[in-house]
Amino acid sequence: MTTSSPQAGPSRVLGTVDAVAIGAGAMLGAGVFSVFAPAAEGAGAWLPVAILIAGLVAYCNAVSCARLAARHPESGGAYVYGRERLGDLWGYLAGWSFVVGKLASCAAMALTFAAYVLPGWERPVAAAAVVAMTAVGYRGVRRSTAVVKVLLAAVLAVLAGVVVAMLASGRLAAVAEVDGLGPWPGSFGVLGAAGMVFFAFAGYARVATLGGEVRDPATTIPRAIALSLGGVLLIYLVVGTGTLIVLGRERLINSTAPLVDVVRVAGLDWAAPVVAAGAAVACLGALITLLMGVTRTTAAMAADGHLPRVLARLGGRHGVPVYAEALIAAIVVGLVLFTDLAGAISFSAFGVLVYYAIANASALRLGPDEPRPPLPVPLGGLVGCVVLACSLPLGAVAVGAAVLAVGAALWWVRDRLSARAGE
């Protein structure tokens, strides 16, 4: 029987290895298998530069989040930071951006998984994946993290195999043959590509949203973010640059499964199904961590009264926010049934960038007696997030701004009703 208690709290069960696995598992999702094709269309031969720009912005965001998490070791991430450092509205907008953006991201991961597993049946398979990963999350964060570790190990093995295929193709030794990539694409082309690549990086600070479940958060969170981000940046540079060289720009931008095409160019057709399976596994690993993060932010907002308080109740033997998990799963299932992958990715990127912009602004408010990062870090992260958000397709920016306005209006109505009730 499910029980709930307002006195219950999440258990601090995650160590450094667990936290690194959550961060890396979130980053090594569908993005590494799909993002390089659209990014190469905008950046061309400058794709590695776009990856580095995205990684630099991610690093600034990660440092800001790590310092804030050390000062505010609670579940909720930038929702908590914005509330404590900038005011209730900004914290609410951070949480709102995170939740709506990550709902779209969950749908994107589920749809990508389904496209690899059973083409033609994407929507029902994606819905089934969401339900299954929610069930895993219900077993508690420790068991969920164990699954993430297994999935991450499988994905790393597949990516290592792809790199071997790149070397076997012989094209890495003939970089000069990669021509026709076009001249400097302009700042907007590179920044647009960086914005898309940033979507693939977006899980680096996922552990910050689980601050209430991490042992020794002041030490574990900064270390885990740095290790997971640094390792994944290296992987993206190797895989992205290698894919560009092996396939060339034109074939890469027209490829729906670039890493599968890489092994085929190397003459390893038998490995194509293995790479496809690795893509599916990566999506599951990212999906489960996404569901964990958005559920806990939803629960944190509900505990503060910004969402129905029932969503904050913890239940079951594992002390998870069961009502929030059920609601999030239902919304994501609805999204995978009625939206498309491209729209989900664009909207998710906008929401994530707004979320981290507020996190960096919060870090700027840390005092001299607190773990304040050097000024260029949060300032660079804030500016970088704004620039990359504006580089996204106009439709995504317009819809994202409209959703933010709706969120702000809901906060204003609640604030006015609370003020009247207190009179």
Side-chain angles (χ1 to χ4, degrees):
M1 181 175 68
T2 299
T3 59
S4 61
S5 168
Q7 308 301 323
S11 301
R12 293 188 180 275
V13 297
L14 298 178
T16 299
V17 174
D18 300 317
V20 170
I22 288 177
M27 284 184 279
L28 290 173
V32 71
F33 291 92
S34 60
V35 76
F36 299 125
E41 184 173 6
W46 299 85
L47 176 60
V49 176
I51 295 173
L52 287 172
I53 291 173
L56 178 61
V57 174
Y59 172 77
C60 292
N61 297 347
V63 172
S64 293
C65 287
R67 300 297 181 90
L68 287 162
R71 183 65 181 84
H72 303 284
E74 308 169 46
S75 294
Y79 166 66
V80 173
Y81 314 149
R83 181 193 66 200
E84 296 296 324
R85 295 290 163 173
L86 302 174
D88 193 56
L89 173 60
W90 292 104
Y92 172 82
L93 287 177
W96 178 267
S97 299
F98 181 89
V99 170
V100 297
K102 290 306 181 181
L103 285 172
S105 190
C106 287
M109 295 301 174
L111 287 168
T112 304
F113 163 78
Y116 277 96
V117 171
L118 195 59
W121 294 84
E122 287 89 348
R123 298 188 188 279
V125 173
V130 172
V131 172
M133 292 300 99
T134 300
V136 172
Y138 180 78
R139 302 300 296 171
V141 68
R142 180 180 291 277
R143 297 192 183 191
S144 299
T145 303
V147 173
V148 169
K149 289 179 182 177
V150 173
L151 297 178
L152 178 60
V155 172
L156 290 174
V158 170
L159 292 178
V162 170
V163 173
V164 170
M166 291 175 180
L167 295 171
S169 71
R171 290 188 60 80
L172 294 184
V175 180
E177 295 179 15
V178 184
D179 21 287
L181 300 180
W184 166 248
S187 299
F188 186 80
V190 174
L191 291 174
M196 286 182 281
V197 175
F198 184 84
F199 169 78
F201 272 111
Y204 56 84
R206 186 64 38 73
V207 69
T209 65
L210 301 172
E213 294 159 285
V214 174
R215 294 192 302 266
D216 189 16
T219 300
T220 299
I221 290 177
R223 181 185 301 161
I225 291 176
L227 290 174
S228 59
L229 177 60
V232 171
L233 173 59
L234 179 61
I235 291 172
Y236 281 1
L237 282 171
V238 171
V239 175
T241 304
T243 302
L244 176 65
I245 294 172
V246 171
L247 297 183
R249 178 177 182 269
E250 292 304 318
R251 183 168 182 176
L252 175 56
I253 65 177
N254 291 307
S255 174
T256 57
L259 301 193
V260 170
D261 289 343
V262 165
V263 298
R264 286 177 174 157
V265 166
L268 304 175
D269 288 1
W270 59 268
V274 178
V275 175
V281 169
C283 292
L284 286 183
L287 179 59
I288 190 172
T289 53
L290 281 168
L291 289 170
M292 288 164 60
V294 74
T295 295
R296 276 126 182 104
T297 299
T298 300
M301 294 181 70
D304 288 340
H306 291 303
L307 294 174
R309 291 189 182 275
V310 67
L311 298 177
R313 292 182 184 173
L314 305 179
R317 293 182 302 161
H318 306 286
V320 296
V322 290
Y323 297 104
E325 286 197 341
L327 176 64
I328 294 305
I331 294 174
V332 176
V333 167
L335 287 174
V336 301
L337 294 177
F338 298 106
T339 194
D340 59 51
L341 180 61
I345 289 177
S346 298
F347 182 76
S348 175
F350 183 86
V352 171
L353 287 164
V354 170
Y355 171 85
Y356 284 117
I358 294 174
N360 282 291
S362 301
L364 287 170
R365 299 297 298 272
L366 287 169
D369 58 338
E370 296 178 296
R372 183 171 60 184
L375 180 61
V377 172
L379 189 60
L382 175 59
V383 173
C385 285
V386 172
V387 170
L388 294 187
C390 292
S391 75
L392 292 170
L394 182 60
V397 175
V399 173
V403 171
L404 279 179
V406 170
L410 291 175
W411 178 89
W412 184 85
V413 170
R414 172 189 172 276
D415 186 64
R416 297 284 76 79
L417 292 176
S418 298
R420 290 181 181 179
E423 291 177 354

